[in-house]
């Protein structure tokens, strides 16, 4: 089999999306690539661009449909014969296991064969079979590569419908080859996974409607109608609507496509399974002979792939309700699962994946759900239905079958197990059995040829009547830690080489789920397997460094050492507790592990000593082979065999003690910090909790099968990095949720599962709306409010109803339920519509606007002190942001799409602010993906009018908050205690001012009595006196009882000019006192609770109104939150398109229900599905299971209405155009058009953005020093040269970031910077050198971007990555890449067409030699100042010239006073390599210097720690010599 460059081995830590060639560099032709052995993904030898361009398909494409290249040359007319020829010679597979020649398909796909040739000329009436099949293959390829597949079809919807009809009728009167059948099947799988597409769903769902029941056997049909009487009416109505022939009789329904389609597919599959999988079956008499002779030559791999794909197809149909409802009886009628169980493939070694898929199909066929109502069945209902089925069966057997009398009279418990039931049924003769199953029970049709097989009939009976294990029991019996068997099972935890061609035994996360239980189960399995993959990688990383060998005694010993793994001195199980009632596994198993840290240096020793409670460790059993493996054995050996790995078991830390038995890390808080002593000796004993389910399985295996005692063999203890090791807590959270009932708010449940009206949870459809909302400081002035409600006639009134001609904020608005959206909210399907909604109100001049009445009011005086004044918002929100704020403060689901720079955080903060003031008793939970985003949000909330005492920040990142206040639990408790003392001293001062004893300020309790007896009573007397003396202007000033207390205000409180003014001031003073005593009342709990833990928990569960944490923290601590009784009403989630689906779901459920109802009232999701999704390291989970689909993206796909913010304030409008095509109507805020900084050009550069074409450098383009580790030396040197150029002009280093799309290139650029920039203080490193993926959510003024690839586009073809890359720069973006490659890529066209309107050589303005210019951004400068750089070498000489000029300039100004830099020996910082002068340039600006020094300190750790895999021999990569 030929290998295509880019589809072989994958290193998932570095790699994201499928690789493919592109039109300019299409791919190797068959003759070019050397064959590589078997399935091993050897990296193909490199081929030159000219060889690629000579490929036959490339030439055909250029002549017929390729749009770029020679635009002047006319293209030939459409030729169906050419389509046939390409199909037969290039796409049709005659032999081999693969359904398509992948490399040829990829060339056609990237040359836009589908978009430019197949689809534009497709006519449903005249299209040939080859034309339809070609489209099918191209669509499948788009799905394989994870790019939008249906977009090009939408321009011709009728033709699209016609195409789908042609697909359904494609097989009529034609026999397809096995490869064609597989391609056809994969297309159907993809279509059923795209039900959000209206045209696809309308056509495809016809195959799964009630009509398909015409194909059921008569007995099954009767049985189904008896079980669902409601369907009888529906069936009769459907028959009436059937078309009528001329003679008045109905047409035979079985002639229509939709009736027989699925049935025919199933029968075709069964025929292939039975007769084609083993082509030599005829020669061998019995199945068993064939199984024993597991000769690999017997199996037809193409048929096996077809069978696996067919299982995937049926699983997909049964795992979404719209298709399951009517097709499940069909699958049961044909008894697919029973036939698969009995097939030879199920038991053959080549059928392992097939067998796993059959089991998954069986699971979904018997799923605990009512298919017709869609409700989940409880365990009790499942059991009841099982018993009633068994009872009816026994009754029938008693009446009709004499031989089964014994079975009929036996108790159910003794016959509902598989073995017992089979034994009891064996008394029947084959004829009796057949009659019983087919005629009396009607489980299968008598016409079925399989019905003559006794084993088949018994299998059908047993699988129908045996008691199934409940899903809850199954999940509770699963070990949470992976063991060695699952870890290296390629069909569930695939490693490298997953290219999207085959299928896997994994659940998929698509649009819809059957029940919440199904949702949790799929996520549980995927999350468990994804973490298994990561653990496996860590084991493979750590174990080889230990250098295990067999010593003279025959035991295992270790020569080496590993940072993450340590040899075990002693392991013993200390306690196994009795099982809980009703369970078989022990309630807990604890063990002690002793190991030595003597071989470690201090910093690694401290890592081992820092183990905490609940940290997860792994116990490994290593037994290397005595003789080293030969090369041949090495090739055949599995990873565990190579490592000598026998067993892997997980455990959780309980406590850790030193050599003298002293507790090292006391997690209970009993040992105070100042009493802590450093650990003694070098031995450590850690007490761990083992997984009880795994322990039970192991012990049972020892007892029943005589297996080896796993627990006597452990000799290595392995730890993992703490940040990556939180999988167990998350899995426990999911498992706990599965054991609870009714967990999601009723208003969200259907939408969550993907059913019902997508807008049902929108605020306008919700009960309990806030009728009138006080918007506080949302609107800056009255004009701002009018701009926000352009569709309404706005009028302002005072609280008494009179008109207000001079309105000022704050405003109260009575919101109509039918509030018209601006152009913000829209359903998810209308993505491509342009902003046409703006023009609606221009059309009708007589259009009468609705009235919107706004109430203005004067807020009460907040108090006489400056700290009493509320903080005010200064952001002028756009109408769309206002719409998002309105939606966010109302109950229901609010989804806000925030394109880059559109003020997502400001909008979120204002929602929180308004919500706090309108619903002060409600509590809000804030969740984000990263600590950085959480801190940004928090810093902005602190600047709003929400008291700091109501804010709380949980998790690890609070120390990074840029504030003097500490918002962690401990910090808030301390702040409350400090505040209590401040307030009590104020109370004492108040008592003194009233000539009362000061001891009233002793505690919060005494202060409370003081308030009631002395303060409030005086105030009431004062109010009573005022009511009688309103006409005296000085009365308030003279008689105010607390005048002396307020004598220290900055301005006099009372003027004595008017009673009203003074009365308002007096009210303000009283408000100040009231707030003071209210705060004291809140501090009272902290006075009563003595322990820090109690105080912190009280703060979290009762005091804090806004609690913020990351999604990981929420999942880790869910159990603690439930125990403490944590409650919240509103959930606001930022970055929600970057959070895994399950990590979005858990934060909705951090509280117990109240009387069976969920308390959650609002759910606000803010994110951007056009930017990068959550990170999933394993390619298979990402591509096959769609695990990287966030809940936010799924909701958008489901068509749930969202509000898209539509004005960006980050980048120059010209730079924003590079990505705003991806959004519906993204404009610019006035600031980016008006501010000077956005209108001034980038000094030294002709343009603000440019694509710079980088040719081969030293004869090389992209290189792969190790597989999938991409680098491009030419781009690295060019980018760094441009960076040096900018620094020499005086651009601050902290304003420049260098981004790239691959980790390999990032490390190369850092090396070049270390060599050419770091040794020189006046250049230094830039703000950041990182990958595009890591830089999401950040920005900088100038971005230098290297795209690396020169042969294949690679993962930038994912448009979301392109959007992130283009939207990071504010003022300047310079993209370094291979033009001929990227301009061809269909998905990236809109951006690259704009980039290529400017020269593709870097255009410099050589006249500007400082970072300041007056030139306008649209003016490149006069022609004679403009210089196009020819390449890397010329850039080097430009830098050199500029440097000399700078030196001369400095010399003239300052004289020769600077010669203090000693350049390093190996730093040839300019390209030409000559020795640099022994001089230094004084710093450009003070700001740049401080930042540079800061970055220079930070950079090496980032280099050595972030992405470079640490080598265990002490010398980090960063310490070596930087290579060019």
């Amino acid at each position: 089999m030929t290998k295509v460059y880019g589809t072989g081995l994958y290193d998932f830590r570095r790699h994201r999306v499928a690789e493919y060639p592109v039109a300019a560099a299409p791919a190797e032709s068959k003759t070019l690539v050397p064959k590589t052995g078997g399935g091993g993904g050897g990296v193909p030898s490199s081929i030159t661009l000219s060889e690629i361009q000579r490929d036959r398909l490339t030439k055909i494409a250029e002549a017929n449909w390729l749009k770029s290249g020679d635009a002047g040359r006319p293209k030939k007319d459409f030729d169906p014969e050419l389509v046939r020829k390409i199909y037969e010679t290039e796409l049709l597979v005659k032999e081999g296991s693969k359904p398509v020649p992948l490399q040829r398909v990829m060339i056609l796909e990237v040359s836009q064969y589908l978009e430019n040739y197949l689809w534009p000329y497709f006519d449903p009436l005249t299209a040939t079979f080859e034309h339809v099949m070609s489209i099918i293959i191209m669509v499948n390829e788009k799905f394989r590569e994870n790019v939008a597949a249906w977009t090009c079809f939408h321009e011709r919807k009728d033709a699209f419908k016609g195409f789908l009809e042609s697909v359904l009728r494609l097989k009529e009167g034609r026999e397809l080859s096995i490869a064609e059948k597989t391609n056809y099947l994969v297309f159907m799988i993809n279509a059923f996974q795209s039900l959000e597409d209206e045209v696809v769903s309308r056509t495809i769902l016809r195959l799964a409607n009630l009509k398909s029941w015409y194909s059921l056997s008569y007995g099954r049909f009767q049985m189904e109608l008896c079980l669902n009487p409601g369907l009888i009416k529906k069936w009769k109505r459907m028959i009436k609507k059937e078309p009528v022939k001329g003679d008045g009789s109905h047409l035979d329904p079985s002639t229509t496509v939709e009736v027989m389609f699925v049935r025919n597919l199933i029968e075709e599959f069964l025929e292939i399974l039975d007769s084609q999988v083993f082509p030599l079956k005829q020669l061998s008499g019995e199945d068993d002979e064939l199984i024993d002779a597991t000769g690999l030559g017997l199996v037809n791999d193409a048929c096996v792939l077809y069978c696996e794909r067919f299982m995937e197809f049926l699983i997909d149909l049964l795992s979404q309700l719209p298709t399951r409802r009517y097709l499940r009886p069909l699958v049961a009628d044909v008894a697919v699962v029973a036939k698969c169980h009995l097939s030879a493939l199920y038991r053959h070694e080549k059928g392992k994946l097939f067998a796993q898929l059959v089991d998954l199909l069986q699971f979904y066929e018997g799923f605990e759900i009512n298919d017709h109502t869609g409700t989940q069945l409880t365990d009790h209902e499942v059991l009841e239905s099982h018993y009633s089925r068994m009872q009816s069966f026994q009754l029938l057997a008693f009446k009709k079958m004499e031989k089964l009398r014994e079975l009929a009279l036996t108790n159910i418990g003794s016959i509902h197990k598989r073995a017992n039931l089979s034994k009891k049924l064996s008394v029947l003769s084959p004829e009796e059995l057949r009659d019983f199953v087919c005629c009396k029970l009607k489980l299968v049709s008598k016409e079925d040829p399989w019905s003559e097989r006794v084993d088949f009939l018994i299998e059908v009976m047993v699988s129908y009547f045996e008691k199934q294990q409940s899903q809850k029991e199954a999940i509770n019996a699963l070990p949470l830690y992976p063991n060695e068997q699952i870890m290296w099972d390629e069909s569930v935890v695939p490693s490298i080489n997953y290219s999207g061609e085959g299928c896997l035994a994994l659940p998929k996360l698509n649009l819809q789920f059957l029940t919440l239980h199904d949702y949790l189960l799929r996520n549980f399995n995927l999350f468990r397997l994804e973490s298994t993959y990561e653990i496996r990688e860590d084991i493979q990383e750590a174990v080889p460094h230990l250098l295990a060998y067999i010593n003279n005694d025959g035991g295992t010993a270790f020569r080496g050492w590993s940072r993450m793994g340590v040899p075990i001195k002693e392991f013993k199980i200390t306690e196994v507790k009795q099982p809980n009632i009703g369970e078989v596994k022990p309630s807990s198993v604890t063990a002690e592990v002793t190991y030595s840290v003597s071989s470690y240096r201090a910093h690694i020793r401290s890592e081992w000593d820092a183990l905490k409670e609940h940290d997860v460790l792994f116990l490994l059993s290593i037994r290397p082979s005595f003789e080293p493996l030969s090369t041949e054995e090495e090739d055949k050996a599995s990873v565990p065999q190579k490592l000598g790995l026998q067993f892997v078991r997980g455990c959780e830390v309980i406590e850790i003690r030193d050599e003298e038995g002293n507790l090292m890390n006391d997690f209970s808080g009993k040992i105070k910090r100042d009493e802590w002593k450093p650990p003694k000796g070098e031995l450590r004993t850690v007490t761990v909790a083992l997984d009880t389910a795994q322990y039970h399985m192991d012990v049972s295996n020892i007892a029943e099968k005589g297996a080896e005692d796993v627990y006597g063999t452990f000799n290595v203890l392995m730890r993992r990095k703490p940040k990556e090791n939180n999988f167990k807590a998350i899995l426990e959270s999911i498992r706990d949720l599965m054991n609870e009932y009714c967990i999601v708010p009723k208003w969200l449940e259907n939408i969550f599962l993907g059913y019902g009206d997508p807008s049902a949870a929108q605020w306008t459809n919700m009960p309990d709306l806030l009728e009138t909302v006080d918007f506080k400081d949302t609107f800056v002035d009255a004009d701002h409010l009018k701009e926000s409600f352009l569709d309404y006639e706005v009028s302002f009134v005072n609280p008494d109803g009179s008109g207000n001609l001079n309105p000022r904020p704050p405003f109260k608005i009575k919101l109509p339920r039918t509030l018209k959206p601006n152009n913000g909210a829209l359903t998810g399907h209308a993505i491509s519509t342009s902003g046409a909604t703006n023009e609606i109100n221009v059309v009708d001049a007589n259009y009468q606007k609705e009235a919107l009445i706004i109430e203005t009011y004067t807020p009460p005086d907040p108090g006489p002190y400056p700290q009493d004044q509320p903080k005010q918002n200064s952001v002028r929100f756009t109408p769309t942001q206002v719409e998002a704020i309105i939606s966010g403060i109302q109950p229901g689901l609010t989804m806000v799409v925030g394109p880059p720079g559109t003020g997502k955080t400001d909008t979120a903060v204002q929602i929180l602010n308004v919500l706090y003031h309108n619903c002060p008793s409600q509590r809000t939970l804030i969740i984000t993906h990263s600590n950085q985003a959480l801190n940004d949000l928090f810093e902005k909330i602190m600047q709003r009018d929400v008291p700091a005492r109501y804010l709380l920040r949980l998790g690890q990142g609070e120390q990074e908050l840029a504030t003097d206040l500490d918002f962690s639990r401990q910090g808030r408790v301390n702040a409350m205690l400090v505040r209590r003392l401040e307030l009590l001293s104020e109370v004492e001062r108040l008592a003194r001012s009233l000539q009362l004893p000061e001891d009233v300020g002793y505690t919060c309790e005494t202060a409370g009595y003081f308030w009631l007896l002395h303060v409030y009573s005086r105030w009431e007397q004062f109010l009573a006196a005022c009511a009688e003396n309103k006409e005296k202007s000085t009365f308030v000033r003279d008689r105010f009882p607390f005048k002396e207390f307020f004598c220290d205000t900055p301005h006099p409180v009372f003027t004595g000019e008017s009673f009203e003014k003074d009365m308002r001031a007096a009210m303000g003073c009283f408000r100040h006192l009231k707030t003071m005593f209210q705060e004291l009342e809140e501090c009272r709990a902290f006075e009563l609770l003595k322990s820090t833990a109690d105080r912190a928990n009280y703060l979290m569960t009762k005091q804090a109104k806004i609690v913020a944490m990351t999604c990981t923290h929420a999942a880790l601590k869910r159990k603690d939150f439930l125990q403490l009784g944590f409650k919240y009403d509103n959930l606001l989630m930022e970055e929600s398109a970057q959070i895994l689906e399950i990590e979005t779901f858990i934060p909705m459920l951090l509280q117990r229900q109240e009387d069976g109802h969920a308390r959650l009232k609002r759910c606000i999701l803010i994110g951007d599905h056009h930017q990068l999704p959550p990170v999933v390291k394993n390619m298979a989970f990402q591509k096959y299971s769609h695990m990287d689909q966030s809940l936010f993206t799924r909701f958008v796909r489901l068509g749930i209405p969202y509000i898209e913010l539509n004005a960006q304030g980050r980048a120059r409008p010209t730079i924003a155009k590079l990505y705003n095509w991806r959004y519906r109507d993204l404009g610019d805020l006035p600031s980016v058009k008006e501010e000077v900084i956005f209108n001034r050009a980038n000094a030294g550069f002709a343009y603000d953005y440019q694509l710079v074409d980088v040719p081969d450098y030293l004869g090389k383009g992209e290189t792969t020093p190790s597989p999938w580790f991409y680098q491009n030396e030419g781009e690295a040197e060019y980018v760094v040269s441009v960076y040096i150029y900018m620094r020499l002009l005086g651009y601050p280093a902290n304003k420049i970031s260098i981004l790239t799309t691959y980790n390999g290139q990032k490390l190369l650029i850092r090396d070049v910077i270390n060599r050419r920039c770091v040794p020189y203080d006046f250049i230094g490193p830039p703000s950041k050198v990182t990958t595009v993926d890591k830089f999401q959510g950040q920005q900088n003024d100038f971005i230098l971007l290297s795209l690396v690839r020169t042969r294949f586009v690679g993962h930038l073809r994912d448009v979301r990555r392109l959007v992130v890359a283009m939207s990071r720069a504010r003022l300047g973006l310079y993209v370094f890449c291979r033009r001929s490659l990227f301009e061809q890529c269909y998905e990236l066209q809109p951006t690259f067409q704009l980039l290529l309107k400017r020269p593709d050589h870097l255009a410099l303005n050589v006249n500007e030699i400082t970072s300041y210019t007056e030139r306008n951004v649209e003016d490149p400068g006069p022609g004679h100042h403009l210089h196009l750089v020819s390449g890397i070498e010329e850039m080097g000489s430009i830098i050199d010239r500029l440097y000399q000029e700078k030196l001369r300039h400095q010399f003239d100004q300052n004289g020769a006073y600077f010669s203090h830099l000693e350049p390093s020996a190996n730093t040839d910082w300019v390209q030409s390599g000559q020795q640099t002068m022994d001089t230094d340039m004084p710093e450009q600006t003070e700001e740049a210097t401080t930042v540079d020094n800061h970055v220079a300190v930070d950079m090496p750790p980032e280099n050595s720690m972030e992405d470079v895999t640490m080598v265990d021999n002490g010398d980090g990569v960063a310490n070596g010599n930087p290579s060019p």
Side-chain angles (χ1 to χ4, degrees), residues 695-730:
Y695 181 79
H696 176 68
M697 284 156 65
D698 289 334
V699 172
S700 306
N701 279 344
I702 295 168
E704 292 164 18
K705 300 176 186 168
E708 185 179 3
D709 177 10
V710 176
Y711 296 92
T713 65
F714 295 133
N715 51 14
V716 173
L717 181 69
M718 192 190 92
R719 65 188 174 91
R720 297 178 70 219
K721 289 178 187 166
K723 268 194 171 175
E724 297 166 6
N725 209 15
N726 48 30
F727 70 96
K728 180 176 181 274
I730 294 173

Side-chain angles (χ1 to χ4, degrees), residues 131-353:
H131 197 146
V132 177
M133 260 331 271
S134 299
I135 295 181
I136 283 177
I137 288 173
M138 299 320 292
V139 168
N140 289 350
E141 176 60 11
K142 284 195 178 291
F143 271 97
R144 190 190 74 79
E145 290 175 3
N146 269 355
V147 292
W150 307 113
T151 35
C152 68
F153 294 95
H154 286 151
E155 293 157 13
R156 303 168 54 213
K157 285 207 170 156
D158 291 340
F160 188 20
K161 224 175 285 177
F163 162 68
L164 291 171
E165 290 292 338
S166 317
V167 171
L168 299 187
R169 299 187 177 278
L170 192 64
K171 289 187 174 183
E172 289 176 3
R174 187 180 187 108
E175 184 56 38
L176 274 59
S177 71
I178 190 71
E180 288 174 326
K181 284 176 181 171
T182 307
N183 290 328
Y184 186 81
L185 187 59
V186 171
F187 180 83
M188 295 313 295
I189 290 170
N190 292 332
F192 275 108
Q193 290 281 298
S194 307
L195 294 182
E196 77 272 28
D197 190 292
E198 215 177 320
V199 182
V200 177
S201 67
R202 204 177 298 146
T203 311
I204 291 295
L205 283 179
R206 276 177 27 217
L207 306 177
N209 66 14
L210 191 54
K211 269 191 187 172
S212 61
W213 279 17
Y214 274 119
S215 65
L216 289 177
S217 64
Y218 186 61
R220 171 70 64 169
F221 177 67
Q222 284 179 311
M223 186 162 85
E224 288 296 332
L225 287 181
C226 288
L227 290 172
N228 304 293
L231 288 176
I232 298 174
K233 282 183 183 173
K234 194 172 178 184
W235 181 261
K236 286 178 177 168
R237 277 202 307 276
M238 188 187 77
I239 291 175
K240 279 182 188 169
K241 289 179 186 169
E242 288 290 329
V244 180
K245 285 189 204 166
D247 60 359
S249 63
H250 285 286
L251 282 167
D252 177 12
S254 61
T255 56
T256 57
V257 176
E258 54 259 46
V259 169
M260 295 306 291
F261 186 84
V262 178
R263 178 101 190 192
N264 289 344
L265 273 182
I266 293 176
E267 282 169 0
E268 181 180 77
F269 154 72
L270 290 170
E271 189 187 329
I272 289 171
L273 179 67
D274 198 30
S275 59
Q276 292 180 27
V277 171
F278 297 99
L280 303 178
K281 195 170 175 182
Q282 302 85 308
L283 306 177
S284 138
E286 287 297 315
D287 283 356
D288 299 334
E289 271 180 55
L290 184 79
I291 304 306
D292 297 339
T294 53
L296 299 182
L298 288 173
V299 182
N300 180 335
D301 286 338
C303 291
V304 173
L305 178 66
Y306 173 82
C307 294
E308 291 166 354
R309 282 291 195 183
F310 196 82
M311 284 296 103
E312 179 195 348
F313 174 62
L314 289 185
I315 290 164
D316 284 355
L317 292 181
L318 295 194
S319 60
Q320 1 187 45
L321 211 50
T323 48
R324 175 190 177 86
R325 198 165 269 143
Y326 299 120
L327 293 182
R328 194 186 68 83
L330 195 60
V331 174
D333 187 31
V334 188
V336 175
V337 174
K339 289 173 182 173
C340 289
H341 275 150
L342 295 172
S343 69
L345 181 60
Y346 187 81
R347 305 191 295 280
H348 193 279
E349 64 176 359
K350 276 284 190 88
K352 189 178 175 192
L353 172 58

Side-chain angles (χ1 to χ4, degrees), residues 879-897:
T880 320
Q881 283 175 313
V882 169
E883 191 182 331
I885 292 165
I886 291 172
S887 177
I889 55 184
Q890 294 288 11
L893 175 67
T894 297
M895 294 205 10
V896 181
V897 173

Side-chain angles (χ1 to χ4, degrees), residues 1050-1104:
H1051 306 290
V1053 181
F1054 304 112
T1055 58
E1057 290 170 13
S1058 84
F1059 178 84
E1060 285 75 21
K1061 255 190 187 173
D1062 282 2
M1063 193 62 201
R1064 180 175 153 75
M1067 289 286 201
C1069 292
F1070 181 68
R1071 174 166 280 97
H1072 175 87
L1073 291 175
K1074 194 174 175 183
T1075 308
M1076 194 168 90
F1077 282 98
Q1078 188 184 335
E1079 267 191 72
L1080 271 171
E1081 188 56 38
E1082 287 171 10
C1083 292
R1084 190 171 169 190
F1086 296 90
E1087 193 172 80
L1088 298 171
L1089 298 168
K1090 294 303 176 204
S1091 85
T1092 313
D1094 288 346
R1095 284 169 170 173
N1097 292 337
Y1098 173 82
L1099 182 89
M1100 185 179 82
T1101 54
K1102 297 282 190 289
Q1103 162 91 10

Side-chain angles (χ1 to χ4, degrees), residues 29 74 150 479 548 569 577 626 643 686 745 948 994 1008 1017 1022 1091 1114 1192 1210 1261 1303 1345 1368 1456:
S29 87
W150 307 113
K569 296 272 186 211
K577 284 192 176 171
F626 191 69
L643 297 175
V686 57
L994 296 173
S1017 57
F1022 168 68
S1091 85
F1192 188 89
R1210 172 184 295 173
N1303 270 325
L1345 173 66
R1368 299 304 97 201

Side-chain angles (χ1 to χ4, degrees), residues 2-16:
T2 53
K3 272 281 167 203
V4 177
Y5 190 68
T7 54
L9 285 163
Y10 281 92
D11 179 339
F12 292 114
R13 279 174 298 185
R14 304 185 182 121
H15 200 74
R16 288 272 79 85

